[in-house]
Amino acid sequence: MDTRNFTYMFYGFAAAWLIVVIYVVTLVLRERRLSQEMQRLRDMLSERRRT
Amino acid sequence: MREKLMYVLLAGSGALLVWNLSRMLLYLPDEAAQGAIYRIIFFHVPGAFTFSLAVFSALVSSVLYLITRRLPYDTFAASATEIGLAFGAVNLVTGMIWARIIWGIWWAWDPRLTSMLISWLMYAGYLMLRRAIDEPTQRARNAAVLNIFTFPGVIITYKAIDWWRTQHPGPVLSFRSGGGRMDPAMEATLYWNFLALLLLAAALLMVRMRQETTRRELDALRREAHAL
């Protein structure tokens, strides 16, 4: 019981961290996608204004 | 300035988490009845507190949006709800792992667990609703109304252990039970870990709000591109 108890405690801690890490990775990927989209739109707009 | 504050919050949270982990694993003894597994409470309860605080601030922000119609309130509500959901997931998953050892099952359809799951799903629905509406003011108005109607679920979750006889343990923290149900050193560590998660949530909130503002700028640029 004690070993299993300790193992599951580790799973609990790991799960808590994993959820936070997955969320942070999602935020980072979204940040990257948004800045790429922003750059693409700005380039497109400046090109349209020139023509 | 904002960037600096975000790094300060992250550093404070990191330092506290390291300190708290050392307390949990090296200083505090196993609990007499549960053994080592009780330590899950140090993430389970602070996860629930952070979730509740985040969605409460989203509720206030939604009400303020409906009164003032200022979009920054909507930005805050959306960001706080999303971060609350992440910490709500921490609460649900760690609770299931604890239940597997203590109850012998991963899940029970008990009022506390069920109301928490329903609240979590409704806030997930709030974020899905936001994705489904393109027009910013219509999105903000509908989302604010849904956010307000979702919050009572959080109150029901909080009070479930008082209102019903649940499989979930009753109140153990001294501010609810009147004291004597949890060792003060364990309770103090739990509050310190809540502070650590709160600082982390505040840092993530700053990042998430900046993204929401960028998304709004993108919407404006898209409209301009269509007009040209």
Side-chain angles (χ1 to χ4, degrees):
Chain A
M1 173 70 180
D2 266 354
T3 321
R4 205 161 152 257
N5 205 325
F6 193 81
T7 309
Y8 273 71
M9 182 202 81
F10 171 76
Y11 289 161
F13 280 29
W17 283 110
L18 195 65
I19 290 165
V20 173
V21 166
I22 288 171
Y23 182 62
V24 169
V25 169
T26 312
L27 278 181
V28 170
L29 291 177
R30 192 189 287 153
E31 183 92 26
R32 196 174 297 169
R33 193 168 42 80
L34 283 172
S35 57
Q36 280 171 354
E37 177 78 3
M38 182 71 96
Q39 194 55 49
R40 196 183 61 79
L41 269 170
R42 279 189 178 141
D43 291 348
M44 194 178 83
L45 275 171
S46 60
E47 197 169 314
R48 279 194 189 179
R49 281 189 194 116
R50 260 188 272 128
T51 54
Chain B
M1 179 64 191
R2 264 192 188 184
E3 198 109 324
K4 257 186 194 168
L5 178 61
M6 193 186 75
Y7 287 124
V8 169
L9 288 170
L10 277 176
S13 169
L16 260 178
L17 281 165
V18 170
W19 167 248
N20 292 339
L21 272 175
S22 73
R23 299 257 318 163
M24 288 172 213
L25 299 172
L26 305 174
Y27 174 74
L28 293 173
D30 285 356
E31 206 262 343
Q34 297 186 18
I37 194 77
Y38 90 95
R39 289 185 178 86
I40 280 184
I41 201 175
F42 296 127
F43 285 94
H44 177 69
V45 175
F49 283 176
T50 311
F51 165 78
S52 306
L53 200 65
V55 295
F56 177 71
S57 58
L59 166 83
V60 173
S61 202
S62 297
V63 171
L64 287 173
Y65 171 76
L66 289 178
I67 294 168
T68 64
R69 303 283 164 167
R70 290 190 58 220
L71 282 172
Y73 288 123
D74 174 61
T75 302
F76 183 88
S79 309
T81 302
E82 190 179 291
I83 283 147
L85 269 181
F87 287 97
V90 169
N91 170 259
L92 283 168
V93 173
T94 52
M96 285 169 69
I97 293 168
W98 175 86
R100 181 70 188 87
I101 291 292
I102 300 298
W103 299 340
I105 46 173
W106 292 100
W107 186 265
W109 292 104
D110 128 307
R112 183 63 175 269
L113 277 69
T114 309
S115 57
M116 178 61 193
L117 180 64
I118 291 171
S119 294
W120 193 90
L121 289 172
M122 284 184 76
Y123 280 113
Y126 164 88
L127 293 181
M128 286 160 78
L129 174 84
R130 295 186 66 87
R131 281 171 171 258
I133 304 173
D134 285 331
E135 208 283 308
T137 50
Q138 193 188 359
R139 176 174 59 210
R141 189 185 60 238
N142 291 358
V145 171
L146 179 61
N147 204 308
I148 291 164
F149 278 102
T150 303
F151 190 75
V154 179
I155 299 170
I156 293 170
T157 306
Y158 180 75
K159 294 297 288 177
I161 49 175
D162 298 321
W163 289 342
W164 296 287
R165 185 190 293 267
T166 59
Q167 181 154 351
H168 187 282
V172 291
L173 299 177
S174 52
F175 74 91
R176 288 192 75 180
S177 68
R181 304 220 28 209
M182 191 177 189
D183 184 272
M186 291 174 181
E187 193 168 344
T189 306
L190 187 147
Y191 292 135
W192 281 112
N193 220 36
F194 171 46
L195 181 64
L197 293 193
L198 205 58
L199 294 179
L200 178 63
L204 295 176
L205 184 70
M206 292 178 79
V207 176
R208 186 64 190 81
M209 282 182 71
R210 193 177 60 196
Q211 289 182 352
E212 200 63 25
T213 310
T214 310
R215 187 171 282 171
R216 200 150 280 151
E217 284 169 21
L218 271 174
D219 284 344
L221 282 178
R222 278 198 198 103
R223 277 195 295 275
E224 200 180 328
H226 274 291
L228 278 176

